[in-house]
Amino acid sequence: MYFSTKDILQPFHTTWLPGNVQAAMLRLDTIHPLVQGNKWFKLKYNLEAAGNTRILTFGGAYSNHIVATAAACKLYGLSSIGVIRGEKPTIPGHTLQKAAELGMELHYVSRELYAQLKSGGEMTRLMQHLLHDAYVVPEGGHNAQGARGCEDILALADTSSFTHILCAAGTGTTLAGLVNAGTGQHIIGISALKGAFSLEGEVESLLKAPSSRWQILHDHHEGGYAKHTPALIGMMNDFFRETGIPTDWVYTGKMVLAFRRLAEQNFFPPGSRVLLIHTGGLQGNESFAPGVLCF
Ligand SMILES: *Cc1c(COP(=O)(O)O)cnc(C)c1O
């Protein structure tokens, strides 16, 4: 897939950012309307490894990974199957509708069966049939190929002069890739989930070498995965008005909220240069009623 990386690094300033701290956003959200953000990076080496085999992957009803996989497979002429956690909704949400439109075959499985499948447990005949001859990309692209793809993110622009890097974390695959590729920056993952304390171990499992240059903050989930608060929505609108940068409510909005709180607590020493990774996910905002967001 070809995309332009011109202007991908966008410096910004806001009223709440101390004058002695600089910030810039690496706009992975601009690379493609659907295969955007970190999802493309997590998929690229997986698709390469798949060859012509059809792709099977897993996700929930709000999964950006599901839409990105559907779109990338369409671009590559591969067929794709999405195993979706939970019973089929009467009216599928925007994310699943989009995936179906892009040609992904969707199969809904109960939460129990979904958990079993992910752990390689007992399978139904249907699942055996689906998995047959398919290249399996784990939920959220959490595997070594996924992390390897995320190493390429820091090479999109000259990122070596930054002192800190912030990114949203779901499975921690992106964070692991950034740590593997980092050149001395302190790397901070903002968990989008409540109490996901296994995340540190998930990241460690994908690191090429042990590192102490990273940490995960667990206090900025705003109620939990795919939950939001008025503070989050207000901040997303304010941030857009000040910088022109749109964020999503599941991941990148929480990262910017955390950045603001850290900046206000003087977490960053004077002279810090902070790079925020915009991991995309903007399609998820379409689930909001018009007018909630100003962009
Ligand atoms: C999936 C997703 C993430 C989480 O990435 P991980 O590699 O699973 O930690 C972060 N931001 C956005 C916008 C995403 O869609």
Side-chain angles (χ1 to χ4, degrees):
M1 189 173 76
Y2 171 78
F3 51 77
S4 164
T5 55
K6 192 174 159 286
D7 300 330
I8 198 162
L9 190 63
Q10 181 178 342
F12 65 86
H13 198 78
T14 64
T15 46
W16 42 264
L17 198 60
N20 52 16
V21 173
Q22 287 178 35
M25 186 74 81
L26 191 66
R27 301 280 312 265
L28 306 185
D29 59 310
T30 61
I31 64 176
H32 187 276
L34 291 171
V35 202
Q36 62 171 242
N38 59 346
K39 297 301 182 283
W40 163 246
F41 293 89
K42 295 201 277 186
L43 282 168
K44 59 190 230 177
Y45 294 115
N46 275 300
L47 295 191
E48 229 173 81
N52 291 322
T53 319
R54 62 202 174 121
I55 302 285
L56 181 143
T57 195
F58 301 88
Y62 292 104
S63 171
N64 293 322
H65 166 71
I66 286 287
V67 179
T69 307
C73 287
K74 188 173 178 176
L75 285 173
Y76 273 63
L78 295 172
S79 31
S80 63
I81 302 172
V83 177
I84 310 300
R85 182 183 57 230
E87 304 305 334
K88 184 172 182 177
T90 1
I91 306 164
H94 169 81
T95 300
L96 297 179
Q97 260 179 43
K98 193 89 217 164
E101 264 167 48
L102 289 161
M104 181 175 260
E105 188 182 314
L106 298 178
H107 291 273
Y108 296 86
V109 301
S110 68
R111 286 169 188 273
E112 297 73 39
L113 180 58
Y114 187 88
Q116 269 178 39
L117 287 169
K118 279 207 314 173
S119 62
E122 193 76 6
M123 269 188 250
T124 61
R125 289 259 292 282
L126 169 68
M127 285 314 299
Q128 278 173 359
H129 171 70
L130 289 178
L131 284 168
H132 180 67
D133 281 346
Y135 179 93
V136 177
V137 178
E139 184 183 51
H142 180 70
N143 64 8
Q145 311 280 14
R148 183 180 154 216
C150 292
E151 287 181 31
D152 298 349
I153 292 172
L154 292 184
L156 292 172
D158 183 5
T159 53
S160 59
S161 67
F162 288 93
T163 54
H164 298 75
I165 298 176
L166 258 70
C167 79
T171 64
T173 314
T174 306
L175 181 59
L178 295 174
V179 175
N180 285 336
T183 49
Q185 303 94 344
H186 183 70
I187 306 182
I188 304 166
I190 310 300
S191 176
L193 295 84
K194 184 176 179 174
F197 301 115
S198 58
L199 209 44
E200 279 82 357
E202 300 287 351
V203 173
E204 266 157 25
S205 71
L206 294 173
L207 292 185
K208 288 176 169 170
S211 165
S212 56
R213 290 186 292 100
W214 62 280
Q215 70 186 110
I216 295 175
L217 300 182
H218 290 277
D219 300 329
H220 306 283
H221 53 72
E222 299 303 282
Y225 179 71
K227 298 269 193 321
H228 55 82
T229 55
L232 175 66
I233 304 299
M235 194 279 322
M236 287 167 64
N237 281 329
D238 289 347
F239 188 68
F240 180 77
R241 288 194 194 99
E242 283 199 275
T243 65
I245 302 174
T247 51
D248 82 294
W249 58 283
V250 183
Y251 291 104
T252 55
K254 293 178 183 179
M255 169 186 68
V256 175
L257 188 62
F259 178 49
R260 176 177 180 159
R261 289 172 179 160
L262 292 172
E264 286 174 346
Q265 293 157 15
N266 293 317
F267 175 93
F268 302 103
S272 293
R273 284 172 50 77
V274 187
L275 178 66
L276 285 82
I277 311 291
H278 195 313
T279 40
L282 296 177
Q283 64 89 21
N285 287 344
E286 290 179 47
S287 63
F288 276 130
V292 175
L293 296 173
C294 67
F295 48 94

